Amino acid sequence: MQELKKINGELNAFSNISTSVDKFPFSVKDNICVKNVETTASSKILKGYIPPFNATVVERMLEKKFGFLGKTNMDEFGFGSFGTNNENVARNPFNNEYVAGGSSSGAAIATSILKYHVAIAESTGGSIATPAAFCGVTGFVPTYGTVSRYGLIDYANSLDKIGIMARSIDDVKITYDTIKGPDRYDATCTDNKIGNHDNKKIFIIDQMLDGVEENVRSHFDNFISKMENEGYAIEEKSVDVLDKAIASYYIVAMAEASTNLAKYTGFKYGFKNEQYGHGYNRFFTEARNEFGKEAKRRIVLGTLVRSASVKDKYYIKALKIRRIMLNELNKLLSGGFIASPVMPMLTPRIDDSEKLNPVEVYKMDKLTIPPNLCGLPHVSFPIAYRDSMPIGVQVMTSQFNDYAIMDFAKIWEEKFEYKYRYNIGEL
Amino acid sequence: MEEKDFDRLLEICRLKLDEKEKESVKKDIEDVIKYFEILGTVDTDGIEPAYHPIETMARIREDLEIKCENQKELLDNTKTFRFYVVGPKV
């Protein structure tokens, strides 16, 4: 514990750590409720919020052989790709001058530094794949609706998926089998059977390689060659609508986020305004000053795209494009997996990431958005190390075929040695 | 975006920004909206919006009375007076 606390002081993986754990430890992203443990989604507006209940995923983990280790750091409400939109900037365990990725930054760092541990994380548009890739661990996002969202602090209801990070795909599978399944408290949670169908084919999509830096592309090509040697047929395809994925995703995500954030009024959860004599509008406006800049930006944009005068132009249009994308990707994925790099560039330095404007940051999510917008299961895992920093790949499959990408990741895992800078808890 | 339209938008959002932050957020919003225009090039006539990524059946829970065991804990997150949650004037 002492070593963990020391390294946590440097990297900001955990917002709090249990005093002791006598079972296999699991961490929980700070936007998922754990009974009697402060849960803030890294937002000042939720400071002091103590949930009186466990999220369904937490309840299921505790019922099995897992012990709660702590809450992990994240971008405020999940709004970020680098783990820097919060009070305590998350730092990469391979080099603390670099970003850890977001928004499940703490989950990825914790997985990278702890020898025995699984992380319960959450993805809306890339919040598991990206930090998993930057921190060199395995990240898994299941088919939308196969894991209950009860107890998750909503970012965007039609996009949020609770997923897992671990050091091995076997640990991911054990955890997924523990937390998945229908839940009476989540009406969108399905009881569909999870399949395992592998056509021994990998599609590479032109639009997903446009703009990928050469030093990332070369490692990806090398990975594809190795999987070809494992018996996978490789086929290049073009899916034009993917060029519209970023805009469609951000419109849907911000529209949903702006409605979800309306519940933080300064007297029900977390932060208390205390100026009860002020009129409701003034009271509410004062309380919402606690949101960070990115949250405010998303509230404004989400409110704008839902306005009656432009709703069809932006919000409904984005949902129609999601339908086109769903149809095209589902058709393609019935014949094989789609593989791509996770991010179009190498892990950025923290100071460089802070210089990017919002559109530049949103564009970084180009490769992780398609599976997230369409609720497709996907996995990311390390495929190479460059200047001692990991580089990841993302593999997606059709809805409810989650076990197939786990087996795919297992093939790679048996051939490639994953590296870690820390092994806290090693016996 | 006109200044008065942006002010109205902030009012609807119940957000009050200082001048510096307002200027910066306004510019960001304009840049992002400009980027969103890319969607105009896609023909979506006759396409149904996908509100959800998966087809979900409307499942309704049985209408049962359930005893709430943790009323006190639920109220612990609020300021209370007697049995009431204290809130702002309407």
Side-chain angles (χ1 to χ4, degrees):
Chain A
M1 274 304 174
Q2 230 169 357
E3 190 185 2
L4 174 60
K5 282 182 180 165
K6 182 173 169 277
I7 293 168
N8 189 51
E10 178 196 332
L11 304 176
N12 292 322
F14 289 89
S15 51
N16 63 53
I17 301 173
S18 300
T19 46
S20 67
V21 181
D22 56 1
K23 295 176 181 173
F24 193 91
F26 76 102
S27 62
V28 180
K29 185 174 177 179
D30 197 32
N31 59 351
I32 298 170
C33 291
V34 177
K35 189 175 180 176
N36 295 332
V37 177
E38 186 184 34
T39 298
T40 70
S42 285
S43 180
K44 283 200 285 177
I45 208 160
L46 272 170
K47 205 129 207 145
Y49 173 61
I50 310 288
F53 70 106
N54 279 323
T56 296
V57 287
V58 173
E59 202 65 42
R60 289 180 181 175
M61 291 294 278
L62 293 172
E63 278 168 10
K64 291 290 170 70
K65 52 199 166 195
F66 297 93
F68 172 67
L69 175 62
K71 302 299 295 287
T72 51
N73 193 9
M74 57 183 285
D75 288 292
E76 183 182 15
F77 286 110
F79 302 154
S81 306
F82 298 129
T84 51
N85 288 334
N86 47 29
E87 273 189 300
N88 300 306
V89 169
R91 294 177 178 275
N92 195 294
F94 286 84
N95 183 334
N96 67 17
E97 290 180 357
Y98 287 73
V99 303
S103 66
S104 306
S105 23
I109 302 167
T111 308
S112 183
I113 63 176
L114 288 159
K115 175 89 175 166
Y116 304 104
H117 154 268
V118 291
I120 300 295
E122 178 274 334
S123 176
T124 307
S127 290
I128 287 181
T130 301
F134 286 168
C135 294
V137 302
T138 299
F140 166 72
V141 181
T143 304
Y144 176 91
T146 60
V147 174
S148 168
R149 288 181 295 114
Y150 177 70
L152 169 71
I153 295 171
D154 299 312
Y155 163 178
N157 310 51
S158 81
L159 298 162
D160 295 342
K161 300 153 295 279
I162 290 180
I164 301 150
M165 288 192 211
R167 283 188 171 202
S168 75
I169 202 72
D170 286 342
D171 284 352
V172 166
K173 188 169 185 297
I174 290 165
T175 310
Y176 183 51
D177 287 342
T178 303
I179 63 175
K180 74 176 166 57
D183 179 17
R184 70 188 301 269
Y185 297 116
D186 179 359
T188 60
C189 197
T190 72
D191 55 1
N192 289 30
K193 195 169 176 295
I194 308 299
N196 185 358
H197 186 70
D198 184 351
N199 285 310
K200 286 284 176 187
K201 182 176 254 190
I202 300 171
F203 293 110
I204 299 170
I205 312 295
D206 296 345
Q207 286 76 7
M208 295 183 84
L209 291 179
D210 279 354
V212 171
E213 281 180 13
E214 186 46 43
N215 43 20
V216 174
R217 175 72 193 257
S218 60
H219 291 291
F220 175 70
D221 289 344
N222 188 31
F223 164 78
I224 290 296
S225 300
K226 287 181 177 164
M227 292 315 285
E228 198 171 11
N229 292 339
E230 292 297 316
Y232 282 87
I234 312 297
E235 191 176 332
E236 288 182 22
K237 284 276 181 186
S238 181
V239 182
D240 290 341
V241 72
L242 290 183
D243 281 340
K244 314 296 182 294
I246 301 169
S248 306
Y249 165 80
Y250 274 102
I251 288 171
V252 175
M254 289 177 186
E256 295 186 21
S258 63
T259 57
N260 281 320
L261 294 185
K263 67 169 87 67
Y264 304 111
T265 50
F267 69 100
K268 279 194 284 189
Y269 313 100
F271 169 77
K272 303 290 179 297
N273 184 354
E274 304 282 357
Q275 302 299 320
Y276 297 106
H278 292 174
Y280 188 80
N281 281 337
R282 185 176 163 194
F283 180 94
F284 193 9
T285 305
E286 285 166 355
R288 287 158 72 82
N289 204 32
E290 295 300 304
F291 285 127
K293 189 174 179 187
E294 184 59 28
K296 287 175 183 168
R297 197 154 40 211
R298 293 190 190 210
I299 289 169
V300 176
L301 271 163
T303 306
L304 176 63
V305 297
R306 287 185 293 110
S307 317
S309 59
V310 294
K311 186 179 167 188
D312 287 346
K313 183 180 175 185
Y314 296 117
Y315 181 57
I316 299 298
K317 184 89 179 178
L319 294 174
K320 288 182 176 184
I321 291 172
R322 167 149 80 171
R323 172 78 63 201
I324 296 171
M325 209 175 296
L326 262 166
N327 292 344
E328 294 201 17
L329 288 179
N330 276 333
K331 201 169 134 194
L332 198 58
L333 289 164
S334 65
F337 301 124
I338 294 175
S340 71
V342 177
M343 290 298 258
M345 76 300 185
L346 298 171
T347 310
R349 290 176 58 88
I350 291 170
D351 47 6
D352 286 340
S353 75
E354 286 162 352
K355 291 173 195 154
L356 299 168
N357 69 39
V359 175
E360 286 168 332
V361 174
Y362 301 162
K363 282 183 177 175
M364 299 285 177
D365 298 338
K366 161 190 173 124
L367 307 172
T368 59
I369 279 175
N372 278 284
L373 185 60
C374 297
L376 299 165
H378 53 286
V379 65
S380 72
F381 47 86
I383 55 166
Y385 298 88
R386 191 184 176 95
D387 300 330
S388 303
M389 299 290 285
I391 296 173
V393 72
Q394 171 182 270
V395 182
M396 65 175 110
T397 186
S398 51
Q399 291 176 346
F400 307 107
N401 194 32
D402 302 48
Y403 289 138
I405 43 169
M406 293 187 195
D407 287 352
F408 182 92
K410 178 89 178 169
I411 295 170
W412 178 256
E413 203 175 279
E414 284 171 353
K415 304 233 160 278
F416 183 75
E417 192 188 346
Y418 294 179
K419 295 175 187 171
Y420 303 101
R421 189 173 158 205
Y422 300 101
N423 277 303
I424 302 172
E426 191 168 33
L427 300 173
Chain B
M1 189 183 292
E2 301 239 349
E3 199 71 24
K4 64 173 177 39
D5 293 333
F6 190 64
D7 286 342
R8 174 69 185 138
L9 185 58
L10 289 179
E11 193 185 331
I12 293 168
C13 296
R14 305 290 188 277
L15 286 175
K16 190 173 168 63
L17 310 179
D18 63 40
E19 278 310 309
K20 197 175 159 204
E21 196 178 16
K22 189 174 143 186
E23 198 180 314
S24 146
V25 170
K26 184 169 179 285
K27 187 187 175 304
D28 292 343
I29 302 295
E30 285 167 347
D31 288 348
V32 176
I33 286 292
K34 195 170 160 196
Y35 178 68
F36 286 169
E37 300 296 330
I38 190 178
L39 299 189
T41 59
V42 185
D43 180 8
T44 53
D45 281 355
I47 305 285
E48 277 294 304
Y51 290 95
H52 265 86
I54 60 165
E55 299 303 324
T56 49
M57 299 294 287
R59 288 190 292 115
I60 298 169
R61 280 207 302 264
E62 213 178 331
D63 188 14
L64 295 173
E65 186 183 343
I66 296 171
K67 195 174 174 207
C68 181
E69 305 280 1
N70 57 352
Q71 281 176 342
K72 190 193 164 298
E73 287 172 296
L74 285 169
L75 290 174
D76 279 350
N77 276 295
T78 62
K79 186 173 179 183
T80 52
F81 176 72
R82 292 179 185 158
F83 300 108
Y84 300 100
V85 174
V86 179
K89 279 199 313 191
V90 177

